[in-house]
Amino acid sequence: MPTMEFEGKQYEVDEEGYLIDWSVWTEGMAEVMAKQDGIELTEEHWEIIRFLRSYFEKYQIAPMIKILTKEIAKTMGKEKGNTKYLYELYPAGPAKQACRYAGLPKPTGCV
Amino acid sequence: MAKLPKPEELSKIDYKPPKTGCGWRETPVQFKEGMYCFGSRPKYLEEVGFPNAREWKPNEEDWKLPENWKDIILDGLKERLEKYRSFRLFMDICVRCGACADKCHFFIGSGDPKNMPVLRAELIRSVYRKYFTPGGKVFGQWAGARELTYDVLKEWWYYFYQCTECRRCSVFCPYGIDQAEITMIGRELLNLIGCNTDWIAGPVANCYRKGNHLGLEPHAIVSNLEYMIDDIEEITGIRVDPSFNRKGAEILFVTPSGDLFGDPGTYTCMGYLMLLHEIGIDYTWSTYASEGGNFGFFTSMEMAKRLNYKIYAEAKRLGVKWILGGECGHMWRVVHQFMDTWNGPADFLEEPVSPVTGTRFENAKTTKMVHIAEFTADLIKNGKIKLDPSRNDHLKVTFHDSCNTSRGMGILEEPRYIIKHVCNNFYDMSKNATREKTFCCGSGSGLNAGENMELRMRGGFPRANAVKEVKEQHGVNMLANICAIDRAVLPTLMDYWVPGVSVCGTHELVGNALVMKGEKKRTMDLRLETLPGMEDSEEEE
Ligand code: SF4
Ligand code: SF4
């Protein structure tokens, strides 16, 4: 299994770089992953990562996009509650890129 | 991950067989990135008790197989030859007429001769001849036989995961040889030594543990549906109120979990919620039987049976009379062809009768499971729902028959009948690319992963071409379907080959057109997008 190095320790990731164990995640890992994609994480990015983490803790799965946009609209204002805004922050797709930074596994099945 | 070539490059397809200097039987398989899926991680195999759970990579030399892998495969082959007469027949009767050769979407999209159905079957047939026929044992390659080697095994894996089990080839075969069943058995054999894909094994493990491919837990299912219900309220002013795990309901509703999670499946799901509310039937969702689809079917019959079991078990526990199923593809192949003999007879259920129209669904006499397309078409036919198709006037719709519902069970008219009643602009694609001759989405049978995108775009090329034709002729901008995998994969396919065409489930269109009692004036469609001509009325509110 591939690994990612963080602060001198190796962490297991899958073939696409998603962390295998979401509970070992720390904020610094998100910074490292983003840097590799050439993204500097801003407060806006963090809002989403934090929401994803807290949602996952409760539901054991990443939220569907509908939930993500609605919750973002609630906390950050209506003009940000849409997929366009999410794609501006995470060009490779909020479901994929943001989940990866947040240390969550990728959803599977008919999706 | 492999970079996906541009459409201009990918559409240059070379149909000349490669010059390799030796026959196809000796040409070892080349693993090309983008054309295959990751091998399954051990965790998923362990969770369902599949053999040989280990870390492995398909493109690496050593697949870490058990020492006696060859015996396992040959014993497995023997067992299946005895068990499935159809399989034995398919191994024996091909006359190599070639009628199927250019009918496979993967051959059309790749030009790789090993994607000709006849040759795909020959991959396994050659081994069958070697070990199970007198001619092959004695005359070897002169009788079209070959040894089962490591290379042959790898070739099996590569090409049985380049077949979507779509059955298109069988429509053209004078003997009805069904390559889909040959592929299924090929995959089953590979499964015996742990050669699976991650994208299939993951959903299988999830479904086994949590009841659905995505691994949605009960509170996540309810919460997801509640967000959809909020949207329905915003659009119609009506709050629908479905029940969950309710004992004594008349009907159990089961749909693929993709509808509960991914767009545009969620819009289809909103359509179900609205329709079932409007007709006021006594039905319940289940958070246990929360998956109609069955990725187990892409590993082995036994696994498919294990995963399918919960549907009847839940129907029994809740004491419902019959089961209504959502828009899914392979779910219905399993229901239609296998469920009854695997986990039936479900004689604790009743022969389904629509509580609204009184129609008896005789086709579902044994399985007790009705497809929602049949159910809704019957409602429309009997004038039981009020529809305003003009709300879909901004759409020019065509319909993609999913392989499983069309070739697998003959649902051809019902979805078209529905669409024609809920939309004013419907244009069918070429008759060579629809109904029983439909072209696969290119990503079915668990090939809808991300890492095999080139394969998916190649396999979907014929489908996309047919869509392109109706787009150019009629301005089609919406590709409707009745399958969750379609809804998941066709948007990517359209963006790649035919940008400007969106994808929807048929019940999304129903939800748009459905006139609900006491609803407010509709200004938005189910995607919360403003309906054309309603821009002003929205501001008034
Ligand atoms: S059409 Fe049927 S008989 Fe002819 S080559 Fe194909 S599988 Fe064989
Ligand atoms: S079943 Fe479909 S994918 Fe498989 S060989 Fe036949 S046409 Fe090709």
Side-chain angles (χ1 to χ4, degrees), chain B residues 14 37 46 66 69 72 93 97 135 201 205 232 300 411 466-467 479 497:
Chain B
D14 185 4
C37 294
E46 277 156 12
W69 66 266
I72 297 175
I93 60 170
C97 67
I232 294 172
S300 72
I411 294 196
V467 175
L479 178 58
W497 290 116

Side-chain angles (χ1 to χ4, degrees), chain B residues 256-310:
Chain B
S257 64
D259 287 349
L260 304 174
F261 186 85
D263 299 340
T266 54
Y267 310 124
T268 312
C269 195
M270 287 162 68
Y272 308 145
L273 285 164
M274 292 162 73
L275 178 76
L276 299 178
H277 170 88
E278 182 59 22
I279 57 173
I281 58 169
D282 176 19
Y283 87 106
T284 184
W285 293 75
S286 165
T287 55
Y288 168 64
S290 51
E291 179 63 68
N294 194 328
F295 269 43
F297 193 52
F298 310 140
T299 63
S300 72
M301 294 290 173
E302 190 53 35
M303 194 65 231
K305 181 178 167 179
R306 281 162 75 190
L307 296 183
N308 174 265
Y309 178 77
K310 66 178 178 289

Side-chain angles (χ1 to χ4, degrees), chain B residues 129-159:
Chain B
R129 285 204 195 95
K130 174 77 196 168
Y131 298 92
F132 299 97
T133 66
K137 278 180 194 160
V138 178
F139 296 109
Q141 59 166 313
W142 306 110
R146 65 173 177 172
E147 292 269 349
L148 176 60
T149 62
Y150 217 100
D151 278 338
V152 167
L153 187 85
K154 289 185 170 180
E155 189 182 55
W156 282 11
W157 189 86
Y158 194 65
Y159 289 103

